[in-house]
Amino acid sequence: MLGLCIVVVLLGVLVRMGETGALRKQNAMRGGPDQPPVEMDGSSLRESTLDLAPVGSPAADRGGTGSLANRQEPRGSAGGDHRDPDVVPDEYLLFFDGEEGFERFLADAKMLRIEVIGTLPRWRALNLRTASIAGLERLLGERYGTFSFEQNSFVRAPDRTGVPGRGVPFAASALDWLGVAGKNSTWGEGITIAVLDTLVQDHPSLKGVAIRRFSVLGEHVVEHGDYAGHGTAVASLLAGSGGAVAGIAPAANVLAVRVMTDDGVGDAFTLADGIILAVDQGADVLNLSLGMQSDSRIVREAIEYALENG
């Protein structure tokens, strides 16, 4: 349960990781801004799709929201498949330097039989699924201008493996443990705290708290997993107004953004989408009780967007 009270600032560290090392890019630059795109007719495009059959069933157009549909975490190396457990299988984040290339690729994606899971147009970025990234590189060629890509990474809630009995509830002792002394009933007044986490459910400790709920996940997500109460617990520690848990800032408003399923798992693209949504919805503070094992360009850019907007 101790993991529930930790306001993880790993994502802030990730921002600085980008300052100490170059972002890993997995392809060479293709074409350039001063080179006209190569024109291809529809038949040529169709002939270029032979080795790019997508993995899984096509996803619905989400218009910028995340989806964990049809996704499973790798659980080992059965059959000799040695996958990185921190990377979402067969998912890549594609970034275009030019608006024209980005729009052209989106227009061609269906014809090319490429499964686009989500888009963030402001950053000319998209999340796609393909079993052959080498084939995708060949397909992109110079038609879409300069681009780069990275693998999509898993995001997870703090690991609570080995905590006896899943921990002991804080109850009314949370404020003492956090060093809050004296009356705090007006703390957080006029402030909106975005809780980017699992679903924040109705709970006695949140009675009377103004909560707006959003989700950047698709319709088919893990429900009733081991971390189903994680977001609720975090929100209670922040803004609980009594009952089971007394929060730090009970007068604050809560913007609950679901970026992880009930098994405590999300991904870099979905997290970035959630950060951007929270900023655009007027959040003053972002609480991210989660982390990831690698740097991510899209997460860094989302954090920079939050900083730029105060």
Side-chain angles (χ1 to χ4, degrees), residues 19-20 34 59 101 144 198 274 288:
E19 299 172 358
T20 58
D34 57 345
Y144 305 100
T198 64
L288 306 155

Side-chain angles (χ1 to χ4, degrees), residues 63-272:
T65 58
S67 174
L68 300 183
N70 304 314
R71 173 187 298 165
Q72 294 184 350
E73 286 196 79
R75 298 297 182 186
S77 55
D81 185 9
H82 300 282
R83 292 184 181 272
D84 185 340
D86 296 313
V87 170
V88 183
D90 301 316
E91 284 195 20
Y92 296 86
L93 309 185
L94 189 59
F95 305 87
F96 292 90
D97 282 5
E99 185 71 25
E100 182 179 352
F102 172 75
E103 296 292 344
R104 178 176 290 195
F105 180 82
L106 287 180
D108 292 346
K110 186 174 182 179
M111 182 186 299
L112 297 173
R113 295 189 292 121
I114 294 174
E115 183 182 353
V116 176
I117 303 172
T119 63
L120 291 173
R122 181 188 180 95
W123 287 266
R124 297 186 297 278
L126 55 87
N127 183 16
L128 60 82
R129 182 178 290 122
T130 178
S132 175
I133 193 62
L136 180 63
E137 283 189 273
R138 292 194 301 272
L139 177 63
L140 289 173
E142 297 180 354
R143 174 173 171 77
Y144 305 100
T146 306
F147 66 91
S148 61
F149 63 86
E150 65 184 24
Q151 289 180 283
N152 197 12
S153 299
F154 281 115
V155 169
R156 298 184 178 92
D159 185 9
R160 63 185 184 189
T161 303
V163 178
R166 293 189 174 179
V168 179
F170 279 106
S173 65
L175 296 182
D176 290 339
W177 190 87
L178 294 168
V180 177
K183 295 181 179 181
N184 69 321
S185 61
T186 61
W187 288 19
E189 188 172 0
I191 298 297
T192 297
I193 303 174
V195 179
L196 291 93
D197 212 289
T198 64
L199 177 67
V200 174
Q201 303 164 323
D202 291 330
H203 192 272
S205 64
L206 294 170
K207 184 177 180 180
V209 178
I211 302 176
R212 288 188 293 149
R213 292 178 174 86
F214 294 87
S215 176
V216 293
L217 305 184
E219 295 180 359
H220 305 291
V221 299
V222 176
E223 301 285 356
H224 311 299
D226 289 342
Y227 282 80
H230 189 267
T232 307
V234 170
S236 298
L237 290 168
L238 291 168
S241 59
V245 179
I248 301 169
N253 300 315
V254 171
L255 179 67
V257 183
R258 192 180 190 188
V259 298
M260 294 188 293
T261 64
D262 284 357
D263 57 355
V265 177
D267 69 275
F269 189 88
T270 299
L271 176 59

Side-chain angles (χ1 to χ4, degrees), residues 48-65:
S48 302
T49 66
L50 298 180
D51 61 350
L52 284 172
V55 177
S57 59
D61 181 7
R62 303 172 303 136
T65 58

Side-chain angles (χ1 to χ4, degrees), residues 7-48:
V7 179
V8 181
V9 293
L10 291 180
L11 294 178
V13 176
L14 293 178
V15 176
R16 288 165 179 79
M17 287 173 60
E19 299 172 358
T20 58
L23 174 66
R24 293 182 302 169
K25 291 192 177 180
Q26 298 168 289
N27 72 311
M29 302 294 256
R30 296 289 189 264
D34 57 345
Q35 294 178 312
V38 178
E39 295 298 331
M40 299 174 66
D41 59 27
S43 60
S44 299
L45 287 173
R46 284 190 291 272
E47 291 170 0
S48 302

